Amino acid sequence: MEYRRLGKSGLKVSAIALGSWLTYGTVTEERTAEACVHKAFELGINHFDCANVYGAEPHAAERVLGRALREYPRESYVVTTKAFWPVGAGPNDRGLSRKHIIGEVEKSLTALGVDYVDIFYCHRFDPETDLEETLRAIDDLITQGKILYAGFSEWSPVQIADGVRLQKELGLHRFVASQPLYNMLNRGIEAEVIPLCAREGIGQVVFSPLGQGVLTGKYRPGQQPPAGSRGATPEVQAFMRRYLQSEILQKVEELAAVARRYDLTLARMALAWVLRLPEVSSALVGASRPEQVEENVKAAGVVLPEEALREIDRILGA
Ligand code: NDP
């Protein structure tokens, strides 16, 4: 396994990280979820991503992940959580107010069974809360040792710049992690978010690097999604609709042909592709089976030749 620094922090995270959205605490049976976490540890993954809303009910995924992690020394892994999305119907059951962030972090610590989380993310930007309130709440949690580092997910360049400027002005702990969507089919962060974060010492932990499984090549144009896949699972398949379109699947077939020419699986090529950027600290994958963890970890250390990168750009019209 390769380990990379998270932005300019001293924290080292595995190039491949394991997440739990739509899997653990949702449709993946608990023993299989635990087997995925154990396989990840065995193969050198030290970075496990979670959120208060992952799972069939709030904190459900954290409970599953926490039980699996309990076997390992606390210092050997990095575990994350997030807050923003609604966890109930009440007016304070969402957002980035001081009340919601601090209340949710407490519940996340209990669900995970840990004294601190390594990285806390603002799961989205909250236009209804004054940014200073959010940043001060995070700073207090860091000072109390309940979270060690902080980041944001899918903030716009303006929101990131405002956040960093305020943290500097107020002398608060600075963000070190950005968690955006990034894969060969979604390159929106390349123009502004990546350079801005690089200037501010913020590393990228990119989610859905496999396009929720599409960039493994298992979804074929004109065919039904394979049995047991996310695309064929009623509870979660709606999240994949953006990818299961014939135009996209045709492009994926062409990408798979490039991977074969370089003796790679498409999954490995897709992960090596996001990791080609030094600004990317971890490629954050999901896995519904331990075999997927095994396959995905093989991408760490793969360097794609310039020629392959050019072919990929040509197919994607980039
Ligand atoms: P991926 O693009 O890695 O897709 C993961 C899914 O693809 C797996 O659950 C599995 O689904 C399938 N898969 C994975 N590896 C293979 C393989 N080798 N061969 C075949 N199929 C494979 O990422 P996700 O979209 O799941 O996101 C990863 C993590 O990122 C999440 O768990 C979460 O922690 C984080 N995330 C954060 C978000 C945010 O807003 N901050 C949003 C989304 C995700 P199956 O077997 O069921 O088909």
Side-chain angles (χ1 to χ4, degrees):
M1 177 54 66
E2 178 195 352
Y3 300 91
R4 297 183 174 195
R5 275 178 74 191
L6 181 64
K8 72 170 182 199
S9 79
L11 189 66
K12 304 255 175 45
V13 288
S14 47
I16 304 293
L18 181 65
S20 23
W21 179 60
L22 303 186
T23 47
Y24 315 148
T26 311
V27 296
T28 309
E29 187 250 339
E30 180 156 350
R31 276 176 45 197
T32 310
E34 284 187 11
C36 290
V37 173
H38 296 323
K39 180 56 74 180
F41 250 98
E42 184 190 317
L43 298 174
I45 290 179
N46 76 343
H47 184 184
F48 297 87
D49 186 69
C50 211
N52 61 340
V53 288
Y54 292 170
E57 58 184 33
H59 304 284
E62 290 173 332
R63 283 193 286 274
V64 173
L65 181 61
R67 275 194 289 271
L69 290 175
R70 215 151 292 167
E71 288 191 23
Y72 303 94
R74 181 65 189 90
E75 66 278 9
S76 65
Y77 61 85
V78 169
V79 68
T80 80
T81 193
K82 317 184 184 82
F84 168 77
W85 295 108
V87 290
N92 290 311
D93 290 342
R94 64 197 68 206
L96 296 177
S97 66
R98 181 177 187 82
K99 180 170 176 65
H100 187 64
I101 290 179
I102 290 178
E104 282 305 297
V105 166
E106 292 292 350
K107 287 183 193 162
S108 293
L109 294 176
T110 304
L112 285 162
V114 294
D115 296 330
Y116 66 92
V117 288
D118 296 273
I119 310 170
F120 169 81
Y121 291 96
C122 301
H123 211 156
R124 289 296 180 271
F125 187 81
D126 179 6
E128 295 183 4
T129 301
D130 186 54
L131 190 51
E132 183 175 337
E133 175 177 334
T134 299
L135 300 180
R136 285 197 187 276
I138 290 171
D139 191 69
D140 286 347
L141 286 166
I142 293 178
T143 304
Q144 292 163 10
K146 291 183 177 172
I147 64 178
L148 302 189
Y149 301 92
F152 48 81
S153 177
E154 295 275 76
W155 282 21
S156 72
V158 170
Q159 292 161 349
I160 297 169
D162 282 351
V164 170
R165 183 181 40 76
L166 256 183
Q167 287 173 327
K168 286 181 192 168
E169 274 173 26
L170 300 169
L172 304 177
H173 287 97
R174 305 262 296 276
F175 287 131
V176 295
S178 160
Q179 190 175 122
L181 170 64
Y182 186 55
N183 60 46
M184 290 194 284
L185 302 168
N186 297 95
R187 301 177 63 165
I189 61 168
E190 287 178 0
E192 289 184 75
V193 171
I194 289 182
L196 167 62
C197 288
R199 281 197 300 278
E200 299 298 345
I202 298 169
Q204 306 294 332
V205 176
V206 303
F207 72 74
S208 301
L210 295 172
Q212 299 199 36
V214 170
L215 289 168
T216 66
K218 69 182 178 181
Y219 299 96
R220 311 294 305 274
Q223 293 181 19
Q224 289 300 313
S229 67
R230 186 177 295 179
T233 306
E235 296 94 316
V236 288
Q237 65 189 168
F239 290 99
M240 288 207 62
R241 275 199 198 114
R242 63 191 293 173
Y243 293 116
L244 297 182
Q245 299 167 25
S246 60
E247 194 190 324
I248 290 177
L249 296 182
Q250 288 297 348
K251 280 193 176 153
V252 171
E253 296 280 298
E254 289 182 57
L255 293 169
V258 176
R260 280 194 296 276
R261 274 203 289 287
Y262 291 92
D263 216 12
L264 291 168
T265 61
L266 180 54
R268 262 176 253 173
M269 185 175 88
L271 296 173
W273 185 86
V274 299
L275 289 167
R276 80 197 185 287
L277 300 177
E279 295 89 347
V280 172
S281 303
S282 289
L284 178 46
V285 300
S288 64
R289 290 192 291 284
E291 299 76 33
Q292 294 178 347
V293 178
E294 250 171 338
E295 160 64 10
N296 299 340
V297 159
K298 290 182 185 148
V302 170
V303 178
L304 297 176
E306 283 299 320
E307 179 61 23
L309 297 175
R310 275 195 294 276
E311 285 182 60
I312 292 167
D313 281 350
R314 184 187 50 75
I315 292 166
L316 299 171

